[in-house]
Amino acid sequence: MSDNSKVTLGKTLRDARIAKGFTLDDLQQATKIQKRYLIAIEDQDFDELPGDFYVRAFIKQYADMVDLDGAELLKQFDSTLPSTQTQEYVDKVNESNPETRSQQRKVDDRYVQLRRTIPVIGIVIVVLVVLVGIWVAAAHNGNSGTKDNVDSSSVSVSGSSTKTSSSSSQSSSSKSSSKKKAAKTATFKKLSSTTSGSTWELKNASSKPKVSLSATSSAWMSVTISGATTWQGTLSTSTSHSLTIPSSATSVTFKFGNAPATKVKIDGKSFNFNSSTSTSSASGSSTTTSSQVQTVTLELK
């Protein structure tokens, strides 16, 4: 491998970053790749990266962030990159990733809890069946005794009572339908904003709001729920990602590497998060600009 080919890969990424107007700090915030690794990639110093697997993964993420085709770039410079031991490194990454271990522990905990709950549920069902059987038998015996002593006047009263009960049931059903029709939709209210993001308040959402993420061009993004990152990746015009916010969550933080190209929907309603800031010109007029890299926090109420 020649020195010229090495420089070509690093220079290609660096030139694309500068053309996008990104600093290394911007790229670090958007991709979560440490700045020293980004510098190592641009300098072709792959020994500084934590492993061969990360070389290709970081280069692809870097390329996608600056609107280059990461897969095509890796293919073009394949001969200049270290070979990977795919399964071995994937296993190693999963083993050393706290988030993966945490998710596995959650699955194990749910399995143990389910095993403990099933016997209790079985006992409850048996008790309910016995109680319902006793109630049905008692009701049947009571109805038989009443029919033997009933007269024409009581039949009339019973018929009147049945009509009243039916009317009351229809009225309750009508009120219930009206309440369902009057259900509110999710609303968003901006609480504060800066040049790099904003804070919003979400009201009237469902107990487990559904989030849909899409993009009009290549856009990196991540989702953090109550302090824990649940997903991050790069979307394009042909891809999207959906997730459900747990009912216990109090806040959700989105980080967008290409905010103007990012679309967010919550419970089917568009969330127009793109924060704008006003700046004054020399003539005294104001202009509105939108930050490309944004951090948007949504507080759930």
Side-chain angles (χ1 to χ4, degrees):
M1 110 181 79
S2 65
D3 292 339
N4 289 335
S5 62
K6 285 186 177 181
V7 173
T8 299
L9 174 59
K11 187 174 184 302
T12 299
L13 293 172
R14 184 185 297 109
D15 290 346
R17 170 176 63 78
I18 294 173
K20 293 292 291 183
F22 289 163
T23 65
L24 286 170
D25 290 329
D26 291 336
L27 211 59
Q28 175 180 249
Q29 181 181 4
T31 63
K32 298 304 178 186
I33 300 174
Q34 294 183 28
K35 184 177 179 179
R36 62 192 180 98
Y37 293 152
L38 297 174
I39 294 173
I41 290 172
E42 290 187 353
D43 293 342
Q44 292 288 143
D45 192 1
F46 297 139
D47 291 339
E48 290 297 318
L49 272 66
D52 292 344
F53 173 79
Y54 289 94
V55 174
R56 294 174 183 270
F58 285 177
I59 287 175
K60 186 178 187 305
Q61 194 170 356
Y62 186 132
D64 291 342
M65 186 61 204
V66 295
D67 286 345
L68 295 177
D69 189 330
E72 182 62 29
L73 193 67
L74 289 173
K75 182 178 179 181
Q76 180 181 352
F77 294 99
D78 182 70
S79 62
T80 69
L81 300 174
S83 61
T84 59
Q85 301 166 358
T86 357
Q87 189 59 48
E88 178 184 346
Y89 274 96
V90 169
D91 292 341
K92 184 176 180 181
V93 170
N94 288 338
E95 183 179 306
S96 60
N97 190 336
E99 183 179 342
T100 304
R101 294 201 306 271
S102 176
Q103 291 176 349
Q104 184 60 45
R105 283 197 296 269
K106 289 180 181 178
V107 171
D108 293 340
D109 291 343
R110 284 197 295 267
Y111 177 71
V112 171
Q113 186 176 3
L114 182 62
R115 289 185 60 187
R116 293 175 178 174
T117 304
I118 289 176
V120 176
I121 294 175
I123 294 172
V124 171
I125 291 175
V126 171
V127 171
L128 288 176
V129 170
V130 172
L131 291 176
V132 169
I134 295 173
W135 179 80
V136 170
H140 178 74
N141 292 335
N143 288 337
S144 298
T146 302
K147 288 179 181 179
D148 291 339
N149 300 305
V150 74
D151 56 15
S152 60
S153 62
S154 66
V155 171
S156 177
V157 172
S158 177
S160 175
S161 176
T162 301
K163 290 180 181 180
T164 302
S165 176
S166 176
S167 175
S168 175
S169 176
Q170 291 177 355
S171 176
S172 298
S173 176
S174 176
K175 289 180 180 179
S176 177
S177 298
S178 299
K179 287 182 180 179
K180 289 182 179 179
K181 291 180 181 179
K184 296 181 180 179
T185 57
T187 59
F188 308 96
K189 178 182 178 183
K190 182 186 286 187
L191 302 178
S192 63
S193 64
T194 64
T195 56
S196 62
S198 55
T199 300
W200 296 72
E201 180 181 79
L202 171 62
K203 288 186 175 181
N204 301 323
S206 60
S207 60
K208 294 182 179 180
K210 296 186 180 299
V211 180
S212 176
L213 302 172
S214 59
T216 57
S217 64
S218 180
W220 180 92
M221 60 194 77
S222 71
V223 182
T224 301
I225 299 177
S226 298
T229 300
T230 59
W231 178 82
Q232 65 176 346
T234 300
L235 298 180
S236 63
T237 55
S238 61
T239 59
S240 63
H241 183 75
S242 299
L243 56 92
T244 300
I245 302 175
S247 58
S248 60
T250 58
S251 66
V252 181
T253 298
F254 301 94
K255 291 188 178 180
F256 303 116
N258 188 5
T262 303
K263 303 294 181 183
V264 180
K265 285 187 177 182
I266 299 179
D267 280 348
K269 184 172 181 180
S270 294
F271 175 28
N272 298 319
F273 63 87
N274 276 299
S275 62
S276 298
T277 56
S278 297
T279 57
S280 298
S281 63
S283 61
S285 62
S286 64
T287 59
T288 301
T289 59
S290 180
S291 176
Q292 188 167 21
V293 179
Q294 289 191 32
T295 299
V296 179
T297 298
L298 195 59
E299 297 182 355
L300 309 180
K301 299 295 182 181

